[in-house]
Amino acid sequence: NLQPVDADGNSLFGVRIEHDDLLSKLWKYLAIALIHREDCSIDSFRVMNVQLVPSVMAQLGKALRFRSRSLKTLILIDNDFGREGVTFAAGVLSENKRLKRMSLNSNRLDDAESMAKLGGALGDHPLLESLSVRYCSFGDDPRAFSAMILSCNNVKFLDLRNANIGSRGAATIARFLSSNPSTETLNLCSNNFDDADADVISRGLSRNNTNLKLLYMSNNPISESGRSALLRSIFDASSLNAVVDSNHTCELIFDRMHTVHDMVMLINNFTPPDTNRKRKVVFAIHDALVGSSDFGSVEDVPVQLAPEVLGLVQFGPLRYMSSRLMYNYSLTLTYEMFRRWLCSFLGGKSSTAIDVSAR
């Protein structure tokens, strides 16, 4: 664990030690120790707030190959490296197949060629679970960011906070999400995404994505319009089929979530996807009954689906929902459904078939 400290041994956060030739021997001794100290097991290698130059990284890269059986964590933070540093990280990742966590925070990741190497290492790695690139700069070449994120199919935790991704990367993120990667947590806070970007990203949260559980979007200039676009991806109440085809696994996390509209974004709340789906169907039907949504007429729901829909009512009040669902919920909804279906049946009104039970 290498990082700046004061005379009392306290970490000096935000202070970076620049390379000095006087330190070259110390780096050499460290590399030799990593190679020859077989009695010392190292599962984590961290260099924080210390500049890494190409000659040092060459020594460390060679040494870390000898730790491929034990190294599980690689942390490189604020090392003032660019192309050479990314190539170094890609090499360490390729040589250490047991690595589970890697951080490249506060470094420049703006070279497309070296990022392609990192992407190749990420795509081939069997065990890496966590990748953090907070406060990194991806530059103006979109290929640098694309090469990395589109290769993170097996990474479960992906932290992209404060990476200034913006509109240039929104479509790439949507493409990544729509491919249904293994990613369970994606942090996109503080990336200058606007309403148009939110709409683009929401398209990646389709029914095809069944793995993502948490999407953090705080501290982006996204208004009610952008939030609504993201909300529709997890709860599209425009029709019964649209409800069923929504994403039932992902929670959307924003800052200052106080309104009922915001709370709906938490409707998936880690319960089984099938349960989330059923809750949304009930909620949509309830809103149609009280006329508070654009869902359409309840009479259009086929009477043949009565047993299943009435069974869904037994799920009771929806968590995080409006207080109007909290009293006489099941009895009221059951009565209204029977009344409207009966009137529709006696009146001879035809119903449009909606395949809910199969979903």
Side-chain angles (χ1 to χ4, degrees), residues 207 239-245 248 274 276-282 284-285 295 298 300-312 337 341 352-359:
R207 190 184 181 200
S239 70
L240 198 56
N241 280 336
V243 173
V244 174
D245 285 336
H248 302 302
D274 185 59
N276 291 331
R277 174 183 64 85
K278 292 177 179 179
R279 286 178 171 178
K280 294 174 190 177
V281 168
V282 175
I285 292 175
F295 176 69
V298 176
D300 290 333
V301 179
V303 69
Q304 294 89 341
L305 296 181
E308 178 171 348
V309 173
L310 293 174
L312 298 183
M337 292 302 298
W341 266 324
T352 303
I354 302 176
D355 187 12
V356 178
S357 57
R359 295 169 186 265

Side-chain angles (χ1 to χ4, degrees), residues 140-257:
D140 297 325
D141 190 340
R143 295 177 301 169
F145 178 66
S146 298
M148 182 199 72
I149 192 171
L150 295 179
S151 301
C152 291
N153 292 325
N154 297 321
V155 179
K156 292 185 177 181
F157 179 84
L158 190 53
D159 191 349
L160 302 174
R161 279 177 286 175
N162 295 91
N164 196 29
I165 297 171
S167 300
R168 291 192 303 270
T172 303
I173 292 173
R175 177 183 170 188
F176 171 68
L177 291 174
S178 63
S179 69
N180 198 25
S182 299
T183 305
E184 297 179 357
T185 299
L186 177 60
N187 196 323
L188 296 177
C189 295
S190 304
N191 271 293
N192 294 319
F193 293 126
D194 57 21
D195 290 340
D197 301 326
D199 182 63
V200 171
I201 293 172
S202 70
R203 299 171 195 170
L205 289 175
S206 63
R207 190 184 181 200
N208 293 330
N209 190 301
T210 59
N211 292 317
L212 191 66
K213 295 179 179 178
L214 288 172
L215 176 60
Y216 290 89
M217 295 292 295
S218 298
N219 297 320
N220 285 294
I222 297 175
S223 69
E224 189 69 15
S225 173
R227 290 192 179 206
S228 295
L230 287 165
L231 172 59
R232 283 194 299 272
S233 67
I234 66 171
F235 191 5
D236 184 350
S238 60
S239 70
L240 198 56
N241 280 336
V243 173
V244 174
D245 285 336
S246 299
N247 181 298
H248 302 302
T249 58
C250 181
E251 288 185 76
L252 299 172
I253 310 297
F254 280 90
D255 49 342
R256 300 184 297 278
M257 298 181 69

Side-chain angles (χ1 to χ4, degrees), residues 75 84 93 104 129 150 159 187 234 270 318 331 339:
I75 307 294
E84 295 84 359
L93 186 61
L104 303 177
E129 297 179 350
L150 295 179
D159 191 349
N187 196 323
I234 66 171
F270 291 140
L318 300 182
L331 181 60
R339 183 177 71 83

Side-chain angles (χ1 to χ4, degrees), residues 16-295:
R16 183 176 64 213
I17 296 178
E18 303 299 327
H19 178 73
D20 191 299
D21 290 339
L22 295 175
L23 298 174
S24 297
K25 287 188 177 181
L26 298 178
W27 285 115
K28 180 179 179 180
Y29 293 151
L30 174 61
I32 292 174
L34 288 172
I35 295 173
H36 297 289
R37 287 294 302 273
E38 297 181 359
D39 59 318
C40 182
S41 178
I42 298 177
D43 63 0
S44 177
F45 186 78
R46 306 166 187 255
V47 182
M48 298 180 287
N49 306 107
V50 178
Q51 185 184 25
L52 292 177
V53 297
S55 60
V56 171
M57 289 186 286
Q59 296 179 69
L60 293 177
K62 180 179 179 180
L64 290 174
R65 294 192 189 105
F66 289 85
R67 297 294 172 174
S68 60
R69 294 184 178 181
S70 62
L71 191 64
K72 296 181 180 179
T73 299
L74 176 66
I75 307 294
L76 302 173
I77 298 178
D78 191 18
N79 310 116
D80 191 32
F81 61 57
R83 176 170 54 88
E84 295 84 359
V86 175
T87 302
F88 164 67
V92 174
L93 186 61
S94 297
E95 295 287 344
N96 294 268
K97 296 301 184 182
R98 297 190 181 186
L99 205 67
K100 291 187 175 182
R101 179 189 176 200
M102 184 167 72
S103 173
L104 303 177
N105 296 347
S106 302
N107 282 299
R108 287 185 295 107
L109 310 179
D110 54 2
D111 178 71
E113 182 179 350
S114 60
M115 289 297 286
K117 295 178 181 178
L118 179 62
L122 286 167
D124 293 337
H125 204 279
L127 296 178
L128 190 71
E129 297 179 350
S130 174
L131 174 63
S132 177
V133 289
R134 285 180 288 168
Y135 297 98
C136 287
S137 171
F138 291 99
D140 297 325
D141 190 340
R143 295 177 301 169
F145 178 66
S146 298
M148 182 199 72
I149 192 171
L150 295 179
S151 301
C152 291
N153 292 325
N154 297 321
V155 179
K156 292 185 177 181
F157 179 84
L158 190 53
D159 191 349
L160 302 174
R161 279 177 286 175
N162 295 91
N164 196 29
I165 297 171
S167 300
R168 291 192 303 270
T172 303
I173 292 173
R175 177 183 170 188
F176 171 68
L177 291 174
S178 63
S179 69
N180 198 25
S182 299
T183 305
E184 297 179 357
T185 299
L186 177 60
N187 196 323
L188 296 177
C189 295
S190 304
N191 271 293
N192 294 319
F193 293 126
D194 57 21
D195 290 340
D197 301 326
D199 182 63
V200 171
I201 293 172
S202 70
R203 299 171 195 170
L205 289 175
S206 63
R207 190 184 181 200
N208 293 330
N209 190 301
T210 59
N211 292 317
L212 191 66
K213 295 179 179 178
L214 288 172
L215 176 60
Y216 290 89
M217 295 292 295
S218 298
N219 297 320
N220 285 294
I222 297 175
S223 69
E224 189 69 15
S225 173
R227 290 192 179 206
S228 295
L230 287 165
L231 172 59
R232 283 194 299 272
S233 67
I234 66 171
F235 191 5
D236 184 350
S238 60
S239 70
L240 198 56
N241 280 336
V243 173
V244 174
D245 285 336
S246 299
N247 181 298
H248 302 302
T249 58
C250 181
E251 288 185 76
L252 299 172
I253 310 297
F254 280 90
D255 49 342
R256 300 184 297 278
M257 298 181 69
H258 301 305
T259 67
V260 172
H261 178 277
D262 288 336
M263 291 300 104
V264 173
M265 296 184 180
L266 302 176
I267 192 172
N268 287 330
N269 65 76
F270 291 140
T271 53
D274 185 59
T275 301
N276 291 331
R277 174 183 64 85
K278 292 177 179 179
R279 286 178 171 178
K280 294 174 190 177
V281 168
V282 175
F283 184 54
I285 292 175
H286 176 277
D287 268 13
L289 286 171
V290 300
S292 63
S293 75
D294 298 327
F295 176 69

